[in-house]
Amino acid sequence: MRTDQDQPVRLADYQPPSWLVDTVALDVSLHATATRVRATLKLKPNPAARAAAPLVLDGDGLALQSITLDGSPLPAEAFSATPDRLTIAQPPQRPFTLEIETLVDPTANTQLSGLYRAGATYCTQCEAEGFRRITYFLDRPDVMAVYTTRVEAEKSEAPVLLANGNLVESGDIPGTSRHFAVWHDPFPKPSYLFALVGGALGHIEDSFVTMSGRRIVLRIYVEPGKEGRAGFAMEALKRSMRWDEQAFGREYDLDIFMIVAVSAFNMGAMENKGLNVFNDKYVLASPETATDTDYASIDAIIAHEYFHNWTGDRITCRDWFQLCLKEGLTVFRDQEYTADQRSRPVKRIADVRALRAHQFVEDAGPLAHPVRPEVYREINNFYTATVYEKGAEIVRMLKTMLGAQGFRAGMDLYFQRHDGHAATVEDFIACFADATGTDLSQFMRWYRQAGTPELAVTMSYDAKAKTCTLDVTQMLRPTPGQPDKEPMVIPLAVGLLAPDGRDLPLTRANAGPVERGVAVLTRPAETLVFTDVPERPVASLNRGFSAPIKLTANLTPDDLRFLAAHDTDPFNRWQALQTLASTLLTDNVTALRAGRSMRTDPGLIDALRAILADPALEPAFVAQALAMPSEADIARELGKDVDPDAIFAARTALRATIGDALGSPLREAYRRLSDAGPYSPDAVSAGRRSLKNVALDLLAASGGSAAIALAARQYHSADNMTDRMASITTLSQHPVRERQAAIDDFYRRFESDPLVIDKWFALQAAIPEASTLERVRELSRHPAFSLGNPNRVRSLVGAFAQANQTQFNRPDGAGYVFLGDTVLALDQRNPQVASRLMTAFRSWRALEAGRRAKAEAELRRVAAAASLSTDVRDIVERSLAPA
Ligand code: BES
Ligand code: ZN
């Protein structure tokens, strides 16, 4: 944590490093409070940099013990060392060797960046700037070196010693109770990919034969006794390895691939070369403790970190402005992996839901920034939905525009050209331009311009000329620092549906057939004329969500119901229902705010009934179709004067109506899908459970005591966590006596399992009732809670702020004060997690006046606190900056 007022870092100021590092030999002697780190660096002047330069190494809270240059102690006047920097003003302008010894205290490291302890286990987290908390270094991703790591420790304390690469040597240290291991990673890498682990860990082992016939050892390390819960993660790893060979021709390179699950981790997981470190939440699963959603997350995150081996490790980022180069691309790759393993349309719907919930909201508020930011004060605050999810959408648009073959050719060229190097977004895009002969210069605006493009489409039909015309305009609103915008390249996938539901062939006047059904828009306004259209069609626009935009069109409710019933694009069938529901809900919120009564939409109910009755549809899709827009979705649609209580009321009323009107088909679906048989986490079984549990929840929403009894019965008889969690979640939404009984039972069953108790915290934090804040305060004093563990904090406080719209946004502002208090208390310990929590205020300006004033007051109170981390200060100041 640097609490000084750091200068902002600007992309425009990028300079290549003056010095390069060929090799790093680290010798780490683990000790709970005094770990000695000896780093031997072979440095050389960078031929690509300007002349003679001082050597300035980064540090963060370091204590220098000794320093030698080419074997001789460096005289005190030849260097200066502070905790944050080591400078040698006049180093020899030739290759030389520096040996630096530092002392670090892993037990006192509560930030979980650098070398720290997760329970008793020693582990590291170096992305983005954690390596400088271990030793002085050129801690920037364009400095790539070959690492050899020797780790030693007490045999009793850390029988397992791991680092990146392949094991070259290990043994006891004679005459002591200590032992050592030496690991060598032959692939040059930036310091942020360094990792080491030491501890008393159990493991499971398997192997994988690559496409060229090499046998790779696979190991997953967990706390002893939890080996039985790592099997699914291992299967996911093998599927990922095979998929990357088949989909991208990418083979694994080292002889061993290791994953370590740790109980305290700031993020989800980390792609350190050959030694991924995971939050144990994303490794450990058993039917009794993990939900279908947990299994799906594990599958996706194991894949994501594994895929980084090529997109991130072999090819890394030149600087942190290029973060989307590895993260956006790797998210795209993990999304495609999941789509291939499970159901492509259902995955697309889930991803678009997440994009709108996180990224669209970010883009509409004070924290909006381009996918490639141009300035930052704290890089940790840029691991955002925009960099990740919008970054992935940009890659997806490339594929949509270039076609699968063109896209693959561009990727192949990227791997060929940039393997072993630190690349930029320009390098990446140039590969697609060169491989396919496409001009992508205007497309680059997706990386530079923040905000969500808004597209308005008017369709008209000329019966005489048999033409169908789409008049399209695009608009991009100002965002912080970007008052004026230029038109974007928008790949719009379009279909024209005949009255019988057939897709009409698309031929554009003077331009011929529309390739892959995608019209590429480039101007503020354009007109698309389709010829030979025999009858008035219904337009299906932005199919598959081909571009991450907000779309409005002159579609009538009848058109939307037609699309919901007949569109050949499953995404747009789902979207049509969402649009109908969203219109109804926002109308009703407005009505409630004006003291008018709400309307109903029998057409929407009929459309939902038809979806529920369609045997051709997969249950997971039907479940998505029946899931109405969330409270946060409705707030986002409204965009201003947001009153969470009115939103809650409108949404609750709609769900009650659905549960009522579709009572018997929902009960029938519940019965039909309640098959016994052993639990399996596969996508089809999970889809059946999700529809069954959506049905249960809608039935309970209609207020019947029979549904509550059904939920209570399911809770107590469940043989898997998915069904248990779904039923207790349903119960938790209703003030019935069965609720507290289930909550108490849940604690007794799982009290020894922190990851399951996290679900218990989150469940209670999300209860939409006035007593919840007091309950959350009490739970924050529960023995199972700790500010020292990020999973606990996210489960209780994060869930309260993100999943409980009415109670976080209490009109009296007490929810905001609670969050502010928690952020201030946590900031001393773990600024990264504190600043994440603080982003819960990102939409404060969209609130109605009363709440807006309370939220602003709380932001100002936090801003005025005596000592704030760079992380929290950055978020608070950007949140408050004049709109
Ligand atoms: N490289 C990140 C992890 C990371 C980010 C560590 C920032 C430290 C600071 C990793 O590849 C990642 O993106 N993890 C995600 C999950 C992923 C599936 C999107 C995470 O940790 O949330
Ligand atoms: Zn990642």
Side-chain angles (χ1 to χ4, degrees):
M1 169 173 51
R2 292 154 300 151
T3 44
D4 54 331
Q5 289 310 292
D6 296 52
Q7 286 303 302
V9 184
R10 291 176 197 284
L11 172 58
D13 293 344
Y14 174 82
Q15 293 289 338
S18 305
W19 293 86
L20 298 177
V21 184
D22 279 331
T23 61
V24 179
L26 283 173
D27 185 349
V28 180
S29 181
L30 291 174
H31 180 281
T33 56
T35 291
R36 186 182 47 69
V37 180
R38 193 178 302 129
T40 307
L41 316 179
K42 290 208 185 303
L43 290 141
K44 66 181 182 201
N46 184 0
R50 294 153 315 157
L55 176 65
V56 183
L57 302 181
D58 304 298
D60 181 0
L62 287 177
L64 179 69
Q65 301 300 299
S66 68
I67 177 163
T68 71
L69 194 154
D70 286 338
S72 311
L74 207 57
E77 64 279 11
F79 71 97
S80 86
T82 69
D84 298 346
R85 199 178 314 297
L86 191 152
T87 310
I88 301 179
Q90 293 172 312
Q93 299 297 312
R94 54 158 172 86
F96 64 90
T97 301
L98 210 55
E99 199 177 304
I100 301 170
E101 195 177 311
T102 50
L103 209 54
V104 298
D105 181 348
T107 304
N109 183 350
T110 59
Q111 295 181 42
L112 315 189
S113 161
L115 176 68
Y116 70 96
R117 296 180 82 196
T121 305
Y122 294 92
C123 63
T124 57
Q125 170 56 42
C126 292
E127 187 175 3
E129 296 178 338
F131 193 71
R132 63 183 66 183
R133 294 168 52 78
I134 299 173
T135 188
Y136 292 104
F137 198 70
L138 289 162
D139 194 12
R140 45 187 289 169
D142 55 355
V143 173
M144 298 174 80
V146 170
Y147 285 66
T148 306
T149 309
R150 180 182 179 281
V151 198
E152 78 161 72
E154 288 296 320
K155 282 190 269 186
S156 57
E157 193 185 27
V160 173
L161 298 174
L162 312 173
N164 314 88
N166 300 313
L167 181 66
V168 291
E169 197 190 341
S170 66
D172 290 349
I173 300 172
T176 73
S177 50
R178 296 175 77 77
H179 72 150
F180 74 98
V182 180
W183 294 82
H184 176 73
D185 176 5
F187 295 96
K189 65 167 173 287
S191 50
Y192 82 86
L193 291 173
F194 169 80
L196 74 78
V197 168
L201 298 167
H203 75 269
I204 61 169
E205 180 167 319
D206 206 325
S207 68
F208 179 83
V209 178
T210 69
M211 61 189 189
S212 74
R214 294 173 42 248
R215 185 177 164 279
I216 316 294
V217 173
L218 310 177
R219 286 207 193 118
I220 299 182
Y221 289 88
V222 298
E223 284 173 6
K226 299 196 170 159
E227 295 86 348
R229 291 196 204 174
F232 180 80
M234 182 66 88
E235 294 307 311
L237 174 59
K238 289 187 287 179
R239 282 195 298 272
S240 306
M241 294 178 85
R242 192 61 75 209
W243 186 87
D244 212 13
E245 293 184 346
Q246 289 166 351
F248 285 95
R250 296 296 108 197
E251 185 175 346
Y252 187 63
D253 42 19
L254 292 162
D255 303 334
I256 182 166
F257 186 80
M258 298 176 283
I259 290 172
V260 181
V262 299
S263 59
F265 198 74
N266 281 347
M267 302 281 291
M270 178 65 209
E271 70 266 25
N272 318 298
K273 181 77 187 189
L275 180 58
N276 290 1
V277 175
F278 269 63
N279 186 327
D280 59 1
K281 174 180 164 63
Y282 296 117
V283 172
L284 302 174
S286 68
E288 299 73 33
T289 59
T291 62
D292 291 331
T293 308
D294 293 328
Y295 277 97
S297 303
I298 291 169
D299 201 7
I301 299 184
I302 294 269
H304 177 97
E305 305 309 337
Y306 173 74
F307 297 155
H308 268 314
N309 191 57
W310 275 97
T311 51
D313 298 4
R314 290 285 288 255
I315 305 179
T316 195
C317 303
R318 187 192 72 171
D319 55 70
W320 291 118
F321 296 102
Q322 321 295 327
L323 183 58
C324 65
L325 178 70
K326 75 177 178 84
E327 294 301 348
L329 175 56
T330 305
V331 169
F332 170 77
R333 277 152 53 70
D334 84 53
Q335 290 175 344
E336 288 298 287
Y337 163 80
T338 303
D340 284 348
Q341 305 289 313
R342 302 167 84 94
S343 155
R344 184 162 285 269
V346 170
K347 172 62 175 165
R348 188 65 185 141
I349 291 165
D351 287 342
V352 172
R353 274 209 146 113
L355 180 81
R356 287 173 169 157
H358 307 128
Q359 202 281 322
F360 278 26
V361 173
E362 189 164 76
D363 243 354
L367 301 182
H369 57 274
V371 171
R372 181 171 62 184
E374 269 148 33
V375 54
Y376 62 77
R377 298 193 120 84
E378 173 51 65
I379 188 55
N380 287 316
N381 287 338
F382 283 85
Y383 288 76
T384 59
T386 297
V387 169
Y388 275 66
E389 297 176 40
K390 191 174 177 182
E393 292 299 319
I394 298 178
V395 179
R396 185 174 299 282
M397 285 189 285
L398 276 176
K399 182 169 181 186
T400 301
M401 292 192 306
L402 305 177
Q405 278 191 358
F407 179 72
R408 178 66 195 267
M411 286 299 298
D412 288 349
L413 185 57
Y414 178 62
F415 291 125
Q416 187 196 321
R417 248 187 214 174
H418 298 288
D419 185 14
H421 294 103
T424 63
V425 166
E426 281 78 5
D427 293 333
F428 177 69
I429 294 298
C431 292
F432 294 92
D434 294 352
T436 64
T438 312
D439 178 358
L440 293 170
S441 47
Q442 187 184 348
F443 185 77
M444 281 297 294
R445 287 179 191 158
W446 278 105
Y447 290 102
R448 287 198 296 264
Q449 298 198 122
T452 307
E454 294 171 44
L455 212 69
V457 181
T458 308
M459 192 208 88
S460 53
Y461 179 66
D462 183 334
K464 254 218 320 271
K466 302 262 181 273
T467 57
C468 173
T469 302
L470 300 179
D471 283 299
V472 189
T473 59
Q474 58 162 295
M475 194 249 295
L476 189 50
R477 290 174 202 267
T479 52
Q482 296 187 333
D484 304 307
K485 311 272 186 172
E486 306 198 297
M488 302 285 265
V489 175
I490 295 179
L492 190 71
V494 182
L496 296 179
L497 291 163
D500 64 359
R502 256 181 327 115
D503 256 313
L504 295 166
L506 296 181
T507 309
R508 275 181 64 184
N510 313 321
V514 179
E515 252 185 292
R516 292 183 297 278
V518 180
V520 179
L521 310 171
T522 57
R523 288 176 312 214
E526 44 204 296
T527 300
L528 310 178
V529 180
F530 297 97
T531 56
D532 305 310
V533 182
E535 304 167 79
R536 178 181 199 86
V538 177
S540 173
L541 303 167
N542 208 27
R543 282 184 154 178
F545 208 64
S546 58
I549 56 171
K550 287 185 201 162
L551 177 80
T552 51
N554 63 335
L555 293 167
T556 65
D558 277 341
D559 292 338
L560 289 168
R561 284 193 295 272
F562 177 84
L563 291 171
H566 300 295
D567 203 328
T568 55
D569 179 60
F571 177 86
N572 269 358
R573 279 186 85 172
W574 170 83
Q575 180 61 58
L577 290 166
Q578 292 294 304
T579 305
L580 283 168
S582 183
T583 307
L584 173 67
L585 287 163
T586 52
D587 285 358
N588 281 347
V589 171
T590 309
L592 284 175
R593 297 272 293 150
R596 288 183 276 112
S597 56
M598 297 192 276
R599 67 173 172 94
T600 56
D601 182 352
L604 171 62
I605 304 293
D606 288 343
L608 293 173
R609 181 182 289 112
I611 292 276
L612 190 51
D614 186 341
L617 293 172
E618 48 183 337
F621 177 88
V622 179
Q624 290 279 28
L626 289 173
M628 291 297 100
S630 70
E631 291 161 62
D633 287 334
I634 303 163
R636 188 189 63 243
E637 286 301 320
L638 289 163
K640 59 177 198 300
D641 200 26
V642 167
D643 172 355
D645 290 327
I647 290 174
F648 181 79
R651 184 171 186 273
T652 302
L654 173 58
R655 283 163 37 79
T657 306
I658 297 170
D660 226 19
L662 304 184
S664 57
L666 287 170
R667 272 185 295 274
E668 155 56 20
Y670 184 85
R671 243 193 328 272
R672 176 165 42 87
L673 297 164
S674 299
D675 48 9
Y679 174 87
S680 153
D682 68 274
V684 172
S685 311
R688 292 170 62 87
R689 278 185 292 273
S690 74
L691 179 51
K692 174 184 75 177
N693 288 319
V694 165
L696 176 65
D697 196 50
L698 286 170
L699 288 168
S702 70
S705 57
I708 293 296
L710 202 57
R713 199 167 338 122
Q714 177 173 320
Y715 171 79
H716 290 285
S717 64
D719 69 348
N720 65 80
M721 182 54 83
T722 304
D723 286 338
R724 198 183 302 281
M725 199 64 211
S727 51
I728 196 172
T729 302
T730 292
L731 289 172
S732 76
Q733 300 293 304
H734 301 275
V736 294
R737 102 193 119 66
E738 289 87 343
R739 170 170 75 189
Q740 195 56 42
I743 290 173
D744 294 340
D745 174 85
F746 194 97
Y747 184 74
R748 280 192 302 273
R749 275 177 202 267
F750 299 110
E751 71 184 302
S752 63
D753 196 330
L755 291 178
V756 185
I757 293 307
D758 283 344
K759 300 181 191 303
W760 183 76
F761 283 133
L763 167 85
Q764 297 178 78
I767 296 175
E769 291 170 21
S771 56
T772 293
L773 177 57
E774 196 39 48
R775 188 193 280 259
V776 171
R777 280 190 202 283
E778 250 169 58
L779 288 170
S780 71
R781 294 187 287 266
H782 191 282
F785 183 80
S786 160
L787 275 185
N789 185 293
N791 287 354
R792 301 303 93 78
V793 173
R794 284 185 283 253
S795 297
L796 184 64
V797 188
F800 174 71
Q802 282 148 39
N804 199 334
Q805 296 288 307
T806 58
Q807 300 315 302
F808 173 57
N809 295 293
R810 282 163 61 118
D812 65 2
Y816 305 143
V817 174
F818 172 71
L819 193 72
D821 284 342
T822 308
V823 167
L824 290 174
L826 186 58
D827 195 33
Q828 310 299 313
R829 268 178 189 269
N830 190 329
Q832 284 186 40
V833 175
S835 96
R836 289 262 154 178
L837 278 186
M838 201 65 206
T839 63
F841 285 104
R842 65 190 173 181
S843 299
W844 70 274
R845 265 187 237 274
L847 295 163
E848 53 78 26
R851 288 171 173 91
R852 193 191 318 142
K854 302 276 189 202
E856 179 172 6
E858 189 54 25
L859 275 161
R860 296 204 182 280
R861 184 177 76 97
V862 173
S867 93
L868 279 187
S869 64
T870 332
D871 309 58
V872 170
R873 176 164 307 285
D874 172 50
I875 295 293
V876 173
E877 287 181 356
R878 280 193 283 140
S879 299
L880 281 169

